Amino acid sequence: MPVRVLIVDDDALVRAGLSMILGGVPDLRVVGEVSDGAEVLPAVEAYHPDVVLMDIRMPRMDGLAATEALRRTPQPPEVLILTTFDVDEYVLRALRAGASGFLLKDTPPAEIVQAIRRVAAGEATLSPTVTRRLIAHVTGSDTPGRRDASLRRDRAVRLLGGLTDREREVAVAIGRGWSNAEISSALFMSVATVKAYVSRLLTKLEMNNRVQVALLVHDADLV
């Protein structure tokens, strides 16, 4: 079955370009397009997408608020944020809200396709380099992100302190942006075992996806 994709962007040219790119991929299907975050919940109910490709800046409801609203619904689709560097702090907030990753708008088409496949398969689309830049942007400036950084660190240390040593190793590997195959090779365990550990981490930490685990590891200064 092809991966069902909903495109959310207020720029008609962007929507048309993404539809053209994804429409030519046999295992992906664009099931709908909307131009504002306020239209996301009705569109998800109507089209049942597997992945929502979400813009951040939109006129009525932005992608951050739409992501938060969507992740509160039962069995929500995965959310992949599409954004630019001038909204770093909003991207981080979206990831904390449960988005499965983000792309920059100048991402090559082949990488967009691969990112959607990974998210649909339950793997985060998370670049360690870009994530470090985003976190540095928020925690290194005089913003609310800096003021509550200490509280986030205390929470992260407390949560990660409740893990076993092996679980913590897997969490740190996720924080480095490694795939299941890379974790398997580095920690000398099967991919199936890695998947079991990831599921256990999500349950114990009460999180939606790998990106939130990665951000927790970053909050604890473990990578």
Side-chain angles (χ1 to χ4, degrees):
M1 295 292 291
V3 175
R4 299 167 61 85
V5 181
L6 173 68
I7 298 173
V8 184
D9 199 296
D10 64 333
D11 189 325
L13 289 177
V14 171
R15 295 198 306 274
L18 289 171
S19 293
M20 184 179 300
I21 291 168
L22 304 183
V25 182
D27 61 333
L28 302 183
R29 179 186 299 167
V30 177
V31 295
E33 303 175 18
V34 296
S35 60
D36 192 83
E39 303 169 25
V40 169
L41 291 183
V44 166
E45 186 174 350
Y47 301 124
H48 306 289
D50 302 303
V51 177
V52 177
L53 193 56
M54 183 88 74
D55 188 19
I56 286 286
R57 289 180 171 171
M58 290 177 283
R60 288 187 295 161
M61 177 184 285
D62 64 29
L64 173 60
T67 297
E68 291 172 336
L70 185 57
R71 295 303 302 181
R72 288 194 294 266
T73 63
Q75 298 182 320
E78 302 296 337
V79 176
L80 187 57
I81 298 292
L82 188 69
T83 187
T84 55
F85 270 121
D86 62 339
V87 287
D88 292 353
E89 64 271 28
Y90 296 113
V91 175
L92 269 177
R93 287 174 59 194
L95 295 178
R96 294 185 191 281
S100 295
F102 65 90
L103 299 173
L104 303 181
K105 284 195 173 180
D106 59 357
T107 300
E111 293 184 22
I112 294 176
V113 170
Q114 187 58 29
I116 293 172
R117 288 172 177 153
R118 288 186 64 188
V119 166
E123 292 212 16
T125 298
L126 178 66
S127 164
T129 301
V130 175
T131 300
R132 284 194 293 270
R133 289 179 63 178
L134 290 171
I135 292 172
H137 172 84
V138 176
T139 62
S141 57
D142 187 17
T143 65
R146 182 180 184 180
R147 289 192 291 272
D148 66 11
S150 177
L151 292 176
R152 289 203 309 270
R153 185 181 186 282
D154 291 344
R155 172 180 175 270
V157 169
R158 174 175 53 81
L159 289 174
L160 294 172
L163 303 178
T164 65
D165 290 342
R166 199 59 161 168
E167 288 169 346
R168 196 175 300 109
E169 287 180 326
V170 174
V172 170
I174 292 173
R176 293 187 174 119
W178 293 357
S179 67
N180 286 345
E182 290 169 328
I183 298 173
S184 170
S185 176
L187 299 184
F188 305 103
M189 60 175 71
S190 70
V191 172
T193 302
V194 173
K195 290 180 179 179
Y197 269 102
V198 172
S199 295
R200 194 180 309 161
L201 283 171
L202 295 177
T203 299
K204 290 183 74 169
L205 298 173
E206 297 183 351
M207 292 183 168
N208 296 316
N209 56 52
R210 298 163 66 102
V211 178
Q212 291 177 312
V213 176
L215 291 173
L216 190 74
V217 170
H218 280 277
D219 285 343
D221 294 329
L222 294 182
V223 294

